[in-house]
Amino acid sequence: MDIGVLLPTGTAQWGETDDPRELIGFGRRAERLGFSSLFVNDSLISPRVEALTMLAALAPTTDAVTLGTAALLPFLRRPVQAAQSLASIDLLSGGRLTVTVGAGFPGRFGQPLYTLSEVPWARRFTRLDETVALWRALWDGADRFHGRILRLDDIPPMTRPFRTGGPPVWLGGATRSALARTGRMYDGWMPYPPDPADYASGVAAIRSAGADAGRAAEDITCALFVSVRIDDDGDDGAERGRRAMDAYAQATYGMPLEQLEKIQAVVTGSAAQVRERLGQYAAAGARHIVTRLGALGLRSQRDQLERVAELIPALRAETEGSRAS
């Protein structure tokens, strides 16, 4: 079991006196506490430190953690330019990059971004899959690529990543089509379903599609993106935790917690309650959990980082125990 953390790169998560340069120290502290990975998310709608810039800054300042995106939106960037940037980060980090990608969603978190990027909304899933295929071809040294949407000839030599074939690429979607595509062509899966049972059915669908494509179950990493908030035991602690998570949901998405937890995995409560709920996802097949800390201000984020870190040994032990049984 790998446990990672999403860095609070968005200005909505910072306090008035917070210095964004503290994010480097935040990442280094997470690595020392035992987190396996540091992830960042990507957008043009909300102000934030740009995802690949953040990972480039972390590459030489961390030693062993995976550096990842959750999720990168490839349509925001020229495909060849993105391949070059990702290869460079993989090279600078010594092969520690993992790239989760997504195509965006209808509404303000999707269609307006396509307009700003001057990319058509139509056929977005085909464009996403072809972009990933183009990256892999370029990382292998190809000088041309002919897809249904992307067609490039006479591509000059570009930076090669640290690893042969380039960094693993995961998909963030959870639709029936996304599950089938993950099984066929992606290296991993990172959704955020509110119900562990839905996660388990997604894992089963991916493994079935992968088997049909001649792939083994271990070829595809099953990950989970989940918002987490740990507070003290008792009714007062639970209520404070939900109020804090509600403030986080309002600041980040402009929606109340009650609405957010219907569409995304959100876990709040005491340390024991959070461990139990995350353990349900682990039992459903999750092997890499990326936690988004439900706190506003870097000081509160660091407090939650310490609390979640205390759960890491138990979660790993439970996963190993379930595998052994």
Side-chain angles (χ1 to χ4, degrees):
M1 169 65 73
D2 288 311
I3 310 294
V5 63
L6 184 81
L7 270 68
T9 56
T11 59
Q13 286 84 55
W14 305 343
E16 292 183 0
T17 61
D18 286 338
D19 185 340
R21 292 172 294 184
E22 295 177 37
L23 292 171
I24 300 296
F26 189 98
R28 296 178 65 180
R29 178 60 179 162
E31 183 173 40
R32 289 195 296 269
L33 286 171
F35 286 88
S36 304
S37 59
L38 305 174
F39 276 75
V40 297
N41 54 18
D42 190 27
S43 179
L44 281 180
I45 294 296
S46 58
R48 66 182 63 249
V49 177
E50 193 273 330
L52 301 187
T53 302
M54 187 74 250
L55 295 183
L58 290 167
T61 56
T62 55
D63 297 316
V65 286
T66 294
L67 303 177
T69 60
L72 191 74
L73 302 173
F75 65 86
L76 299 181
R77 300 162 180 84
R78 299 292 187 186
V80 175
Q81 173 201 19
Q84 174 91 339
S85 297
L86 293 168
S88 298
I89 295 171
D90 193 58
L91 188 64
L92 291 171
S93 66
R96 292 187 283 125
L97 180 63
T98 291
V99 186
T100 307
V101 298
F105 297 94
R108 72 185 186 98
F109 293 108
Q111 288 164 293
L113 298 180
Y114 278 80
T115 300
L116 289 170
S117 301
E118 300 178 320
V119 175
W121 175 254
R123 303 178 70 189
R124 60 192 181 277
F125 301 119
T126 299
R127 181 180 298 275
L128 174 64
D129 292 347
E130 281 198 5
T131 298
V132 173
L134 170 63
W135 290 349
R136 288 170 169 162
L138 295 175
W139 292 336
D140 279 337
D143 62 0
R144 66 190 64 227
F145 181 87
H146 289 179
R148 287 182 288 175
I149 295 176
L150 303 176
R151 300 183 64 85
L152 300 170
D153 291 298
D154 301 322
I155 304 171
M158 61 171 292
T159 301
R160 303 291 287 272
F162 183 86
R163 288 165 289 184
T164 301
V169 184
W170 300 353
L171 187 62
T175 64
R176 182 179 299 178
S177 170
L179 298 175
R181 287 157 48 226
T182 299
R184 289 196 309 268
M185 65 171 288
Y186 284 88
D187 303 304
W189 181 51
M190 187 190 286
Y192 44 61
D195 189 340
D198 291 333
Y199 188 90
S201 64
V203 171
I206 287 171
R207 289 177 175 167
S208 176
D212 289 343
R215 306 179 69 194
E218 57 268 22
D219 293 337
I220 305 167
T221 300
C222 292
L224 171 74
F225 183 87
V226 55
S227 296
V228 171
R229 170 85 193 191
I230 298 176
D231 284 277
D232 299 330
D233 293 337
D235 294 338
D236 291 344
E239 182 60 30
R240 285 197 308 273
R242 287 194 61 81
R243 286 198 302 267
M245 186 64 87
D246 181 71
Y248 184 91
Q250 296 278 7
T252 303
Y253 290 105
M255 67 174 66
L257 174 59
E258 288 184 356
Q259 184 177 349
L260 179 66
E261 60 190 356
K262 291 178 182 178
I263 57 177
Q264 292 189 10
V266 178
V267 179
T268 64
S270 66
Q273 291 169 327
V274 169
R275 185 182 69 186
E276 179 182 6
R277 187 63 169 176
L278 294 181
Q280 292 173 5
Y281 282 102
R287 291 298 175 263
H288 194 138
I289 295 177
V290 177
T291 58
R292 178 170 59 179
L293 307 175
L296 297 177
L298 294 184
R299 181 176 179 179
S300 295
Q301 284 271 334
R302 285 190 291 268
D303 175 68
Q304 286 296 310
L305 185 74
E306 302 277 343
R307 289 175 180 244
V308 173
E310 294 177 357
L311 302 184
I312 292 176
L315 285 170
R316 287 178 175 160
E318 289 176 7
T319 305
E320 291 303 318
S322 65
R323 283 179 173 176
S325 62

